[in-house]
Amino acid sequence: MFNKRSHGLGITYVSSYEPGTKFKNSVENGDEVTLKIDNESILVRNVQIKGNGKYSGTVYGFEPSIELTYKDLSLDDEVEFEEINIISCSGR
């Protein structure tokens, strides 16, 4: 369902610029990630690590559209995805 990152590209880690923020280099429980379907970004929060490169989380937005649904997904849907589907990650 979700696009896979291009071969050789890693996850882009985004850190807030608040004092004391540590730079990220891995996906952790509670993070927010961006996935893609076609050219639409699927914004997912409350990420949970399921193991073996698999994750789950809750859809909280779509970009660039501002619709409440995109294809078969709706806001607040629980989704499962793999590490190769993650485009970017930010901590909470």
Side-chain angles (χ1 to χ4, degrees):
M1 169 194 289
F2 299 109
N3 297 359
K4 293 182 178 179
R5 283 190 321 275
S6 297
H7 183 70
L9 292 180
I11 297 170
T12 301
Y13 291 96
V14 181
S15 296
S16 67
Y17 295 103
E18 297 174 19
T21 300
K22 296 180 183 177
F23 289 102
K24 297 184 63 56
N25 62 4
S26 64
V27 178
E28 299 172 3
N29 286 329
D31 283 351
E32 297 179 354
V33 298
T34 301
L35 311 174
K36 287 264 196 190
I37 298 178
D38 303 325
N39 290 322
E40 189 76 10
S41 292
I42 312 302
L43 308 177
V44 177
R45 65 177 157 213
N46 300 324
V47 168
Q48 296 298 307
I49 300 168
K50 301 183 73 89
N52 295 322
K54 297 187 185 291
Y55 301 84
S56 65
T58 306
V59 175
Y60 74 94
F62 305 101
E63 290 180 349
S65 71
I66 54 171
E67 301 297 324
L68 301 177
T69 62
Y70 183 77
K71 298 211 173 188
D72 293 334
L73 293 176
S74 298
L75 294 181
D76 295 326
D77 279 356
E78 292 293 320
V79 293
E80 291 190 7
F81 50 94
E82 298 182 19
E83 186 273 339
I84 192 70
N85 303 124
I86 301 170
I87 305 301
S88 66
C89 173
S90 62
R92 295 181 42 179

